[in-house]
Amino acid sequence: MPMSRRAAVTTAPLLAAALALTACGSGTDTDGGSRADGKIAGDITFQTWNLRANFKDYFNGLVREFEKQNPDVKVKWLDQPAENYAEKLSADAGAGTLPDVVNVSPDLSYPLAKAGLLMNLDKEKATAKFKGEYTPEAWQGNTLPGLGGSYAFPWYLNTGPLFYNKALFRQAGLDPEKPPKSYEELFTAAGTMARRSGGKTATLAGTPSIEDFGRYGVRLMNDDATRFTYNEPKGVELLTKYKQLYEHGALDAQALTNTPEKSGQKFLEQKVAMNPGGAHDLETFKKNAPSLYKNLGITDAPNNTGKPNMYVMGLAVNNRSDHKAAAIAFAHFVTDRKNQEAFAHKVAIFPSTKDSLRDPYWTEDDGTDEGRVRVASAKLLKGAVNYTPVVMSDEMKVVLKNEVAKALQGKKSPQQALDAAAARSDKLLEQS
């Protein structure tokens, strides 16, 4: 199932299709259900994203329970595969068949909301009243820049710890119980490790992503999300620091081309000292690298903002639904505290409802590998934010990655590289 930000929608065709819609799918019914504050009645569709294979019984149970509580409503559950989900949303938008309740991440909800297809939960009395049930971080995570509100009920959250190799820290004379918390501490530790290992041990396996710029404290975009600003002095400062790491062997030699899988393998082979991961990795370490497993530390990714990174999923309500009241009631039902906590006990995700993470399940290590990571990750969600701009497409991420590589190789200065990346991404944004 999708645990992180998924492929962004290509906004141009989606918006073109959505804006071309007429009143198709926005009819009215006679019982008032087409109003957000109307009668909770009617047949609605509920679409998830690659969840049926593993959670069929859970969602069928949710639907049965909701229909039992609301006998005038019938819910049809749809589930789409992870592959081409964005294209499916685009097709539904163009055909006027967008489901009444749809599973979205903020990057997917943005073009739909911009086209007027999703309900603004902050501006609708029937939905705004629920805001206090969710954590401020989760509600804010579904708030879209320039559109004046949140466009999805917060659903499950995720974050990821950073694993580090205590043995490599000891060998470099670094305190294994005090991993770097800020970027300055990270750069200092990385330089020390490279120097004392004679360039044989790198600290990191990858180049900086947009999330790194965000955690460093760089302003990524202007206030209305119409222009990228990561080429400002603080962004140049970060890339300059990474260039120095690369030149001194503190970044893996293949950092420019490493995929997440390759970076994970480097960490498994104990060639790099730090790498992000999840609970499933611990079993691999235990089986294939017992010495690493014995010396494994878990911390959060360094940041200068005091706010870790967070991924957020939500349930949006179709603003043109014939049965808005029923759609709102169901979206709220799925994302209420009881049902979110039940879902989070079945898979490595975290509920977005207020006070849920105070439960011992997320605060007390039960001695299992899963519990160890679960507790460490849950701590990170306090004050966490989604750093990746919702308007940043995969193509824009590739543009940034390629320009970063040119800077690390010395083909361009950090300023020139970031200026080029921002300019190209701005043009792509205008085209969308």
Side-chain angles (χ1 to χ4, degrees), residues 106-188:
D107 54 328
L108 294 182
S109 64
Y110 180 78
L112 295 170
K114 192 173 182 180
L117 294 180
L118 301 185
M119 185 178 294
N120 186 330
L121 304 188
D122 282 307
K123 292 187 177 181
E124 182 61 63
K125 289 183 180 180
T127 53
K129 64 183 181 182
F130 298 124
K131 182 176 181 177
E133 297 180 16
Y134 305 90
T135 66
E137 296 90 347
W139 193 270
Q140 180 61 37
N142 285 287
T143 298
L144 303 178
L147 300 184
S150 176
Y151 285 82
F153 282 96
W155 197 8
Y156 56 87
L157 309 175
N158 210 358
T159 185
L162 189 67
F163 292 144
Y164 68 100
N165 188 322
K166 292 184 177 182
L168 294 180
F169 270 64
R170 290 192 197 95
Q171 292 170 17
L174 299 169
D175 189 339
E177 303 307 322
K178 294 182 179 179
K181 297 295 184 182
S182 69
Y183 273 89
E184 194 57 43
E185 291 176 358
L186 173 65
F187 297 145
T188 299

Side-chain angles (χ1 to χ4, degrees), residues 130-375:
F130 298 124
K131 182 176 181 177
E133 297 180 16
Y134 305 90
T135 66
E137 296 90 347
W139 193 270
Q140 180 61 37
N142 285 287
T143 298
L144 303 178
L147 300 184
S150 176
Y151 285 82
F153 282 96
W155 197 8
Y156 56 87
L157 309 175
N158 210 358
T159 185
L162 189 67
F163 292 144
Y164 68 100
N165 188 322
K166 292 184 177 182
L168 294 180
F169 270 64
R170 290 192 197 95
Q171 292 170 17
L174 299 169
D175 189 339
E177 303 307 322
K178 294 182 179 179
K181 297 295 184 182
S182 69
Y183 273 89
E184 194 57 43
E185 291 176 358
L186 173 65
F187 297 145
T188 299
T192 298
M193 190 168 293
R195 185 172 63 255
R196 293 183 178 176
S197 68
K200 295 180 180 180
T201 303
T203 298
L204 301 171
T207 59
S209 66
I210 192 66
E211 293 172 3
D212 288 293
F213 283 86
R215 286 195 295 257
Y216 192 71
V218 178
R219 190 173 74 115
L220 304 178
M221 300 198 78
N222 60 1
D223 292 339
D224 59 0
T226 59
R227 183 174 61 85
F228 287 93
T229 56
Y230 52 70
N231 57 330
E232 293 182 353
K234 201 165 188 66
V236 176
E237 178 181 286
L238 174 66
L239 187 51
T240 300
K241 299 269 190 183
Y242 264 87
K243 185 174 185 295
Q244 293 169 352
L245 294 182
Y246 187 65
E247 291 171 345
H248 294 105
L251 279 187
D252 181 65
Q254 282 77 48
L256 276 60
T257 57
N258 278 340
T259 63
E261 291 75 20
K262 288 181 180 178
S263 295
Q265 185 62 30
K266 296 271 187 177
F267 183 74
L268 179 72
E269 296 170 354
Q270 304 189 61
K271 295 179 179 178
V272 296
M274 305 186 83
N275 199 63
H280 62 282
D281 293 309
L282 293 184
E283 186 61 33
T284 301
F285 298 153
K286 184 187 296 186
K287 179 180 179 181
N288 298 329
S291 62
L292 168 63
Y293 181 79
K294 187 186 306 181
N295 288 285
L296 192 69
I298 302 177
T299 186
D300 54 323
N303 70 75
N304 294 348
T305 66
K307 297 178 179 180
N309 189 57
M310 173 182 69
Y311 305 104
V312 56
M313 290 297 143
L315 291 185
V317 175
N318 184 344
N319 202 36
R320 301 185 179 186
S321 170
D322 285 339
H323 307 288
K324 287 182 181 177
I328 291 169
F330 184 73
H332 175 250
F333 175 78
V334 175
T335 62
D336 69 16
R337 180 169 179 173
K338 175 186 174 183
N339 289 320
Q340 282 215 46
E341 289 183 5
F343 190 36
H345 276 258
K346 294 179 178 295
V347 64
I349 55 172
F350 302 92
S352 62
T353 40
K354 191 173 291 184
D355 296 329
S356 286
L357 294 181
R358 293 182 182 179
D359 187 278
Y361 182 74
W362 288 285
T363 61
E364 298 178 7
D365 188 341
D366 60 8
T368 65
D369 287 341
E370 293 78 7
R372 184 182 177 192
V373 174
R374 181 174 65 244
V375 171

